[in-house]
Amino acid sequence: MVINGIDATRRLLGLLSKREAEVIACIDVVGLDAAATSQALGISVTAVRVARHRGLKRLRALMSTPPARTAPAPPRPVAGPA
């Protein structure tokens, strides 16, 4: 299964808090600056910077963690003498 960039972005943003996802979407996806993001979301510029920092930190941690592997299949019984 191939995941395109938009699907991957949506999936990753879905792992963040609502505020972190909104801030990162405004700044890093749409291209707004901190002041415009602050106005769009109705929060302070400081809150924008904090949410972006925390969101990016969480994304880095998520992306550096290898995906969970499924448990290996149990060993097959060895056929003994008949």
Side-chain angles (χ1 to χ4, degrees):
M1 175 176 162
V2 175
I3 299 176
N4 68 35
I6 293 171
D7 290 338
T9 301
R10 285 184 181 145
R11 185 177 59 79
L12 287 169
L13 288 176
L15 299 173
L16 302 177
S17 73
K18 180 180 177 188
R19 177 172 283 183
E20 291 167 353
E22 288 175 340
V23 166
I24 289 174
C26 286
I27 294 175
D28 298 296
V29 177
V30 177
L32 299 179
D33 63 11
T37 300
S38 167
Q39 288 182 337
L41 299 179
I43 60 177
S44 71
V45 173
T46 301
V48 167
R49 290 184 180 138
V50 169
R52 183 170 185 259
H53 172 76
R54 290 178 179 167
L56 292 175
K57 182 178 177 181
R58 184 172 300 166
L59 288 175
R60 278 191 297 274
L62 290 168
M63 293 177 73
S64 67
T65 304
R69 298 179 67 184
T70 57
R76 293 183 178 182
V78 177

